[in-house]
Amino acid sequence: MAQGQASESVAPARLVIHNIGLLLSGDIGNPILDADTVVAVNGKITAVGKVKNLDTASATIRIDAKGTTLAPGLIDSHVHPVAGDWTPRQNQIGWIDSYLHGGVTAMVSAGEVHTPGRPRDVVGLKAMAIFAQRAFSAFRPGGVRIHAGAPVIEHGMVEEDFKDLAAAGVTMLGEVGLGSVKDGATARQMVAWARKYGIQSTIHTGGPSIPGSSLIDKDIVLAADADVIGHINGGHTALPDDQIVALCEQSPRALEIVHNGNEKAALLALRTARELKRLDRVILGTDSPAGSGVQPLGILRMISMLSSLAGVSAEVAVCLATGNTARIRNLDCGLIEPGRVATFVMIDKAQHSPGKTVLESIQRGDLPGIGMVIIDGMVSAQRSRNTPPATMVPEVVKQ
Ligand SMILES: [Zn+2]
């Protein structure tokens, strides 16, 4: 009781964003909301609606959206972080902060596999996963939330290992297939043990990414039955078309499309999911850092690419990178609704894009310009240093 009374005596941080021109919900069932105002208290959304119907008084931060578009912060479902904001894959520092300027506010590790000297023994891989989970929980470059601590399964693991990992706070596996377990039967057993203890799994799909990794084909993916069919469009080498279609049709699991994959296969996977009326299963990632570098605008580029070439509306393409991922990955962001974290990206048509609206510009294949990024109710970035300049940018009118 004493704790409750103490917190009530502190004035709450109250964020009001008004004059929103277009509000994208992240919810694929209802991607555009009829609303112009969002209110958040202590980092959580409390109200979404029309300004005339909401209590917008006593804001501690007030933002005039200037008629721009507000969407949930983008989620990158597939990254390979290593140590803080440094990646040894291309020896870059500050890569996560650069993704923030591409609208990414949350990332999901598919394994800290680029760690120099990555341990392959069971005790070592468990220790590394727990360390990564702890370190990235405590370190948020630019405010970006990194869900990490994703062990890669190896032969010799037993059920007790998954129980230990879950008890220590590990919530997901790194890409199945990047370690010594490459056969369907063993993968299926370990994925099931992980699931039993609440640990989500992702499987590598397609040809080897780099020398030393190997092919994971449709039969292994179906046998393993991981929760997420990682990079169904290859990372980068994709499976043959008939195998991609078979995975969409025969597995009920999430279909992850990545920037660092085969783009033709990405279009095939998306079109197949749409024909099956299962666009809710599609989530987006970059699969970076990688051999092709880091891609601060990778998720935005995926949204524009899929929207312009696969005939999916821009507002639905945004859902693939926000609400879909949040629901499948059990994250508290990604949707504009009361109770979710107040984590937003504010975009507008890029200067001189021929599209009449921001949505039309995306459907033409242009990138939107980012004017502001807000994480947990706090302004994390203003005009992006990485996107083409937004025509209009929001303004902080009170702080
Ligand atoms: Zn992979």
Side-chain angles (χ1 to χ4, degrees):
M1 292 304 283
Q3 275 185 337
Q5 283 160 3
S7 64
E8 279 164 24
S9 66
V10 177
R14 192 170 153 83
L15 167 71
V16 174
I17 308 174
H18 65 94
N19 203 13
I20 297 166
L22 176 68
L23 211 158
L24 302 180
S25 69
D27 176 3
I28 199 157
N30 184 28
I32 297 179
L33 296 179
D34 183 21
D36 58 19
T37 302
V38 173
V39 180
V41 176
N42 292 336
K44 292 267 172 63
I45 299 170
T46 55
V48 182
K50 294 283 193 184
V51 69
K52 63 179 188 296
N53 302 326
L54 299 178
D55 174 11
T56 58
S58 59
T60 51
I61 309 176
R62 185 180 299 277
I63 293 168
D64 179 349
K66 297 282 183 83
T68 61
T69 297
L70 182 142
L74 307 179
I75 306 166
D76 188 333
S77 171
H78 193 130
V79 295
H80 291 294
V82 169
D85 208 356
W86 170 65
T87 172
R89 190 70 180 84
Q90 298 296 344
N91 200 12
Q92 271 183 259
I93 191 127
W95 69 277
I96 295 169
D97 191 68
S98 261
Y99 282 49
L100 170 70
H101 282 257
V104 172
T105 55
M107 300 177 159
V108 180
S109 174
E112 296 78 38
V113 292
H114 302 149
T115 302
R118 169 164 72 97
R120 311 286 179 129
D121 64 297
V122 175
V123 171
L125 75 88
K126 286 166 66 179
M128 193 179 87
I130 295 164
F131 165 77
Q133 190 276 331
R134 295 293 189 280
F136 282 106
S137 295
F139 181 63
R140 296 179 60 172
V144 177
R145 180 84 194 271
I146 301 129
H147 300 271
V152 173
I153 56 173
E154 301 281 357
H155 279 293
M157 293 181 80
V158 296
E159 180 174 344
E160 198 71 14
D161 293 315
F162 296 88
K163 188 177 178 188
D164 290 349
L165 285 164
V170 169
T171 60
M172 59 207 174
L173 298 183
E175 282 176 79
V176 173
L178 296 189
S180 57
V181 175
K182 300 177 191 298
D183 66 287
T186 311
R188 185 181 190 86
Q189 175 66 82
M190 291 189 183
V191 161
W193 283 331
R195 189 174 288 132
K196 178 175 174 184
Y197 296 103
I199 296 175
Q200 193 178 66
S201 53
T202 298
I203 190 163
H204 172 97
T205 308
S209 303
I210 50 173
S213 66
S214 32
L215 168 72
I216 302 289
D217 67 12
K218 168 213 43 145
D219 294 331
I220 302 172
V221 173
L222 288 173
D225 194 32
D227 297 297
V228 175
I229 300 176
H231 53 64
I232 190 167
N233 60 319
H236 181 278
T237 311
L239 293 173
D241 287 2
D242 61 332
Q243 293 199 30
I244 292 172
V245 171
L247 287 174
C248 294
E249 289 176 348
Q250 294 172 30
S251 168
R253 303 298 181 184
L255 308 170
E256 184 191 72
I257 299 175
V258 301
H259 185 268
N260 279 328
N262 177 315
E263 288 167 343
K264 192 171 182 187
L267 297 176
L268 173 67
L270 188 72
R271 288 184 181 125
T272 307
R274 190 180 54 192
E275 282 165 19
L276 294 168
K277 300 194 186 332
R278 289 308 309 271
L279 281 178
D280 60 311
R281 288 168 59 199
V282 178
I283 59 178
L284 306 184
T286 54
D287 193 2
S288 64
S292 56
V294 303
Q295 292 93 27
L297 304 184
I299 296 294
L300 273 185
R301 284 170 52 81
M302 297 278 294
I303 289 170
S304 283
M305 190 272 281
L306 295 173
S307 176
S308 59
L309 299 181
V312 172
S313 70
E315 62 268 28
V316 165
V318 167
C319 297
L320 310 182
T322 55
N324 278 9
T325 318
R327 283 182 173 137
I328 285 166
R329 298 288 194 181
N330 302 314
L331 309 180
D332 61 0
C333 55
L335 291 158
I336 307 296
E337 63 184 20
R340 295 267 168 179
V341 291
T343 295
F344 314 121
V345 60
M346 298 178 74
I347 58 176
D348 197 18
K349 188 177 83 157
Q351 291 175 13
H352 302 291
S353 168
K356 287 193 183 63
T357 64
V358 66
L359 296 180
E360 192 185 314
S361 72
I362 293 168
Q363 283 156 200
R364 284 168 170 263
D366 282 341
L367 298 181
I370 291 176
M372 189 174 282
V373 182
I374 294 169
I375 299 180
D376 294 349
M378 307 283 287
V379 177
S380 272
Q382 299 204 29
R383 188 190 281 282
S384 167
R385 64 172 186 259
N386 288 335
T387 64
T391 304
M392 292 293 291
V393 296
E395 186 183 343
V396 178
V397 292
K398 178 188 177 188
Q399 191 158 29

